Coordinates of all heavy atoms in Angstrom, one line a residue:
R169 N 31.5 -5.0 6.4 CA 30.9 -5.0 7.7 C 29.4 -4.7 7.6 O 28.6 -5.4 8.1 CB 31.5 -4.0 8.6 CG 32.9 -4.4 9.2 CD 33.5 -3.3 10.1 NE 34.6 -3.8 10.8 CZ 35.5 -3.0 11.5 NH1 35.3 -1.7 11.5 NH2 36.5 -3.6 12.1
F170 N 29.0 -3.7 6.8 CA 27.6 -3.4 6.7 C 26.8 -4.4 5.9 O 25.7 -4.8 6.3 CB 27.4 -2.0 6.2 CG 26.0 -1.4 6.5 CD1 25.7 -0.8 7.6 CD2 24.9 -1.6 5.6 CE1 24.4 -0.3 8.0 CE2 23.6 -1.2 5.9 CZ 23.4 -0.5 7.1
S171 N 27.5 -4.9 4.9 CA 26.8 -6.0 4.1 C 26.6 -7.2 4.9 O 25.5 -7.8 4.8 CB 27.7 -6.4 2.9 OG 27.9 -5.3 2.0
T172 N 27.5 -7.6 5.8 CA 27.3 -8.7 6.7 C 26.2 -8.4 7.7 O 25.4 -9.3 8.0 CB 28.6 -9.0 7.4 OG1 29.7 -9.2 6.5 CG2 28.5 -10.3 8.3
L173 N 26.2 -7.2 8.2 CA 25.1 -6.8 9.1 C 23.7 -7.1 8.5 O 22.8 -7.6 9.2 CB 25.3 -5.3 9.5 CG 24.6 -4.8 10.7 CD1 25.2 -5.4 12.0 CD2 24.6 -3.3 10.8
V174 N 23.6 -6.7 7.2 CA 22.3 -6.9 6.5 C 22.1 -8.4 6.2 O 21.0 -8.9 6.5 CB 22.3 -6.1 5.2 CG1 21.2 -6.6 4.3 CG2 22.3 -4.6 5.5
E175 N 23.1 -9.1 5.7 CA 23.0 -10.5 5.3 C 22.6 -11.4 6.5 O 22.0 -12.4 6.4 CB 24.2 -11.0 4.6 CG 24.4 -10.3 3.2 CD 25.8 -10.5 2.7 OE1 26.6 -11.2 3.4 OE2 26.1 -10.0 1.6
K176 N 23.2 -11.0 7.7 CA 22.9 -11.8 8.9 C 21.5 -11.5 9.5 O 21.1 -12.1 10.4 CB 24.0 -11.5 10.0 CG 25.4 -12.0 9.6 CD 25.6 -13.4 9.8 CE 27.0 -13.8 9.6 NZ 27.3 -15.2 10.0
G177 N 20.9 -10.5 8.9 CA 19.5 -10.1 9.4 C 19.5 -9.3 10.6 O 18.4 -9.1 11.2
Y178 N 20.6 -8.6 11.0 CA 20.6 -7.7 12.1 C 19.9 -6.4 11.9 O 19.5 -5.7 12.8 CB 22.0 -7.5 12.6 CG 22.7 -8.8 13.1 CD1 23.9 -9.2 12.6 CD2 22.1 -9.6 14.0 CE1 24.5 -10.3 13.0 CE2 22.7 -10.8 14.5 CZ 23.9 -11.1 13.9 OH 24.5 -12.3 14.3
T179 N 19.9 -6.0 10.6 CA 19.2 -4.7 10.2 C 18.6 -5.0 8.9 O 19.2 -5.6 8.0 CB 20.1 -3.5 10.2 OG1 19.4 -2.3 10.2 CG2 21.1 -3.5 9.1
Y194 N 21.4 -4.6 -2.3 CA 20.6 -4.1 -1.2 C 20.6 -2.6 -1.2 O 21.7 -1.9 -1.3 CB 21.2 -4.6 0.2 CG 20.9 -6.1 0.4 CD1 21.9 -7.0 0.3 CD2 19.6 -6.5 0.7 CE1 21.6 -8.4 0.6 CE2 19.3 -7.8 1.0 CZ 20.4 -8.8 0.9 OH 20.1 -10.1 1.1
R207 N 17.5 0.8 16.3 CA 18.2 -0.3 17.0 C 19.6 0.1 17.4 O 20.1 -0.3 18.4 CB 18.1 -1.6 16.2 CG 18.7 -2.7 17.0 CD 18.7 -4.0 16.2 NE 19.1 -5.1 17.1 CZ 19.4 -6.4 16.7 NH1 19.4 -6.6 15.4 NH2 19.7 -7.3 17.6
F237 N 28.6 -3.8 19.4 CA 27.8 -4.9 18.9 C 28.6 -5.9 18.2 O 29.2 -5.7 17.2 CB 26.7 -4.3 18.0 CG 25.7 -5.3 17.5 CD1 24.7 -5.9 18.3 CD2 25.7 -5.8 16.2 CE1 23.8 -6.8 17.9 CE2 24.8 -6.7 15.7 CZ 23.9 -7.2 16.6
P239 N 28.0 -9.8 17.8 CA 27.3 -11.1 17.9 C 28.2 -12.2 17.4 O 28.9 -12.0 16.3 CB 26.1 -10.9 17.0 CG 26.4 -9.9 16.1 CD 27.3 -8.9 16.8
D240 N 28.4 -13.2 18.1 CA 29.3 -14.4 17.7 C 30.7 -13.9 17.5 O 31.4 -14.5 16.6 CB 28.7 -15.1 16.5 CG 27.3 -15.6 16.7 OD1 27.1 -16.1 17.8 OD2 26.5 -15.6 15.8
E242 N 31.7 -11.3 15.9 CA 31.9 -10.5 14.7 C 32.1 -9.0 15.0 O 31.4 -8.4 15.8 CB 30.7 -10.7 13.8 CG 30.5 -12.1 13.3 CD 29.2 -12.3 12.5 OE1 28.2 -11.8 13.0 OE2 29.2 -13.0 11.5
Y244 N 32.0 -5.2 14.1 CA 31.3 -4.2 13.2 C 31.8 -2.8 13.5 O 31.2 -1.8 13.1 CB 29.8 -4.3 13.4 CG 29.2 -5.6 12.9 CD1 28.9 -6.6 13.8 CD2 29.0 -5.8 11.5 CE1 28.4 -7.8 13.3 CE2 28.5 -7.0 11.1 CZ 28.1 -8.0 12.0 OH 27.6 -9.2 11.5

Side-chain angles (χ1 to χ4, degrees):
R169 283 177 171 171
F170 198 85
S171 296
T172 303
L173 197 70
V174 169
E175 290 165 2
K176 295 278 188 176
Y178 297 125
T179 194
Y194 286 107
R207 187 180 189 194
F237 183 72
D240 300 322
E242 294 171 318
Y244 293 100

